[in-house]
Amino acid sequence: MTLRRFGPADFRRMPWKNGGGETLQLAIWPPEADLEDFDWRITSASVSSDGPFSTFVGIDRSLAVLAGGDLLLNITDPAGRLPQRVLLHPGEQLDQFAGEVPIVSQRRQGRLLTDFNVMTRRDRYRHQLQKLQLDGSLSLSETSWMVYLTDGCLCAGAPPQTIGQGELLWGQGPAILQGRAEGWLVHLIALSAGHP
């Protein structure tokens, strides 16, 4: 098993692709990738205004609201796979939507909120995002996974690698997570050879 911790020194603050706001890029693969050629990308954005999502062709996305007010998503999906409107409260998520689908977001209380985003290139990776509430231990059998903490701390591996609030842990191989923590767990599934 291989573990890598991502902390504030690794994060990169940058504008949204459409210039409408600012995001904190927590991790990206390959490390030298940009917004046009990444395999996967993990971010946390500060949402201070209403407006359209950036367009990411060939990318599948999941989004969770971490804190702040409610987020209303107005969705135009010609294929009809997504509802037309989704209201996300803090701690809720929208799974597996195509980056090409036009979405306009609206903050219901007009308050600053933060979100958590997972993006995977459709022909190279699949992903699943789930809320993590850990009090004890959790066994993971996946070949690649990531944990982002919003509260508490956890450790994994031997010797143990520990992360706290606002940090990210990337694991390759089965692992046991231990601790008392809340956050988000990302399962990454590579679709082709040569990808970690």
Side-chain angles (χ1 to χ4, degrees), residues 128-187:
Q128 179 185 0
L129 175 65
Q130 70 180 77
K131 194 170 184 179
L132 175 71
Q133 292 182 304
L134 181 65
D135 187 2
S137 63
L138 174 66
S139 295
L140 299 177
S141 59
E142 291 85 353
T143 56
S144 189
W145 49 269
M146 304 192 91
V147 176
Y148 179 73
L149 291 194
T150 56
D151 192 32
C153 64
L154 63 76
C155 65
Q161 182 76 266
T162 301
I163 62 168
Q165 181 179 348
E167 296 181 323
L168 186 76
L169 185 65
W170 177 25
Q172 294 174 266
I176 298 177
L177 307 181
Q178 295 181 310
R180 178 175 292 179
E182 295 184 4
W184 295 89
L185 174 61
V186 181
H187 307 275

Side-chain angles (χ1 to χ4, degrees), residues 57-87:
V57 176
I59 301 297
D60 288 328
R61 301 183 60 177
S62 293
L63 175 145
V65 175
L66 299 182
D70 301 336
L71 186 65
L72 178 64
L73 305 179
N74 298 285
I75 303 170
T76 303
D77 181 10
R81 288 188 289 264
L82 293 170
Q84 291 183 327
R85 290 161 65 92
V86 174
L87 180 63

